[in-house]
Amino acid sequence: MPSSQVSFGSTAITAIVRQDLLRQDFFAVNPWTNAQWRPRFAQNTPRTTPRSVPLMVAQSTSDEVVLPATTAMLVRDWCRAGVPISTLWLAEVTHEATGKTVGPAVTQWLGRQFSGQGAEDDCGQPTPVPPLSAAG
């Protein structure tokens, strides 16, 4: 599956999971069935980066805004595309506190990049939550 389709689907899957599985009624009807929403899903879903660009992904396993299974799916799919990813998974940190909590680690990661030390590639490691699948 092309990476653009994988990324496009992750936003839609998150919306569907929130509505159908978590019973969070954000919409009167499933937005995935409305063609006018599709461009918005695509605009709000990050695309894979070139293999030469390392990434760091930080995620709380208890985040209720950005679902951890969706991030795990994104990491899995980008790793499959050959993108080197350093991951930082946090437990029991709210969505709002994640940025402040990971700030020092991100600063160190950036420092290593700019000093030429490179990034750790965690693509061979399992994620602490299973990736969301297209089947739900």
Side-chain angles (χ1 to χ4, degrees), residues 4 24-25 32 40 42-43 45-46 64 77 94 96 112 130-131:
S4 61
Q24 296 175 346
D25 295 325
W32 184 248
R40 298 295 176 240
Q43 289 172 345
T45 301
E64 294 180 357
D77 294 345
T94 65
E96 295 77 14
R112 287 192 303 272

Side-chain angles (χ1 to χ4, degrees), residues 10-24:
S10 66
T11 301
I13 289 170
T14 298
I16 291 167
V17 166
R18 285 182 179 278
Q19 182 166 318
D20 295 346
L21 298 179
L22 301 178
R23 303 289 182 228
Q24 296 175 346

Side-chain angles (χ1 to χ4, degrees), residues 13-81:
I13 289 170
T14 298
I16 291 167
V17 166
R18 285 182 179 278
Q19 182 166 318
D20 295 346
L21 298 179
L22 301 178
R23 303 289 182 228
Q24 296 175 346
D25 295 325
F26 293 111
F27 306 101
V29 297
N30 184 340
W32 184 248
T33 62
N34 183 333
Q36 293 177 335
W37 276 91
R38 289 181 185 247
R40 298 295 176 240
F41 286 134
Q43 289 172 345
N44 287 292
T45 301
R47 303 287 179 231
T48 55
T49 63
R51 293 178 183 192
S52 61
V53 178
L55 295 177
M56 180 177 200
V57 173
Q59 171 75 46
S60 172
T61 58
S62 56
D63 195 323
E64 294 180 357
V65 177
V66 177
L67 301 178
T70 303
T71 299
M73 181 178 67
L74 182 104
V75 167
R76 179 201 63 203
D77 294 345
W78 284 3
C79 284
R80 286 180 179 169

Side-chain angles (χ1 to χ4, degrees), residues 54 86 107-121:
S86 298
T107 300
Q108 291 175 354
W109 185 86
L110 287 169
R112 287 192 303 272
Q113 303 316 299
F114 289 118
S115 70
Q117 295 178 28
E120 291 183 26
D121 186 352

